[in-house]
Amino acid sequence: NNPQLAEYQTCQILSLAKMEWFGTVEKAVEQEGVDGRTPAWKHPERDVKYKELKQKWVDRFQEAFLKYYPQLEGKIEMFDMATPLSIEHYLPTGSGSPIGLDVNGIENGTEGCRFTD
């Protein structure tokens, strides 16, 4: 209810993605966390390949978003994303999933959520 922010809107887009598409969970370099990962308070180092892949996804999502909301072209101040590795860093779920969806589950003999390239 802040009048200064009344003109701003936010949007969250969720998509399925395999954690291995983005690499592996990083190990701590200076100080090991609870299970050998970089502590959550320390931003993990990512290689150039990861950053390029993440930017490719950001560009795709922004293009798809603007397809449905073309009136927002040129009005977006920030467009960012969290990959399964980001989620796993801050919420160590073991799967890189921010929600309890079992993306590899099989129910009644049929495949659950399916990934495509």
Side-chain angles (χ1 to χ4, degrees):
N1 295 344
N2 185 338
Q4 294 175 334
L5 301 177
E7 66 212 48
Y8 292 93
Q9 301 294 320
T10 62
C11 174
Q12 182 177 20
I13 302 170
L14 293 176
S15 175
L16 298 176
K18 289 184 177 182
M19 189 164 19
E20 57 264 22
W21 292 349
F22 296 93
T24 58
V25 175
E26 70 287 338
K27 296 291 181 189
V29 177
E30 296 175 15
Q31 176 185 356
E32 295 211 352
V34 175
D35 54 3
R37 301 176 189 185
T38 302
W41 52 263
K42 183 178 179 188
H43 187 74
E45 294 294 322
R46 303 286 190 210
D47 63 19
V48 173
K49 185 177 176 183
Y50 170 87
K51 292 175 184 177
E52 289 173 350
L53 180 60
K54 182 177 174 177
Q55 187 59 50
K56 186 176 179 181
W57 278 71
V58 167
D59 294 343
R60 284 180 175 174
F61 278 118
Q62 188 166 10
E63 181 182 334
F65 177 79
L66 291 171
K67 190 176 193 177
Y68 290 97
Y69 301 98
Q71 71 274 22
L72 298 177
E73 181 80 43
K75 296 180 181 180
I76 297 173
E77 291 190 20
M78 185 183 89
F79 200 103
D80 194 16
M81 71 172 278
T83 69
L85 290 184
S86 306
I87 302 298
E88 189 59 27
H89 174 73
Y90 294 105
L91 302 171
T93 63
S95 67
S97 177
I99 56 177
L101 177 64
D102 181 5
V103 294
N104 295 314
I106 297 178
E107 187 175 331
N108 299 327
T110 61
E111 188 173 337
C113 296
R114 195 172 52 133
F115 296 101
T116 58
D117 291 332

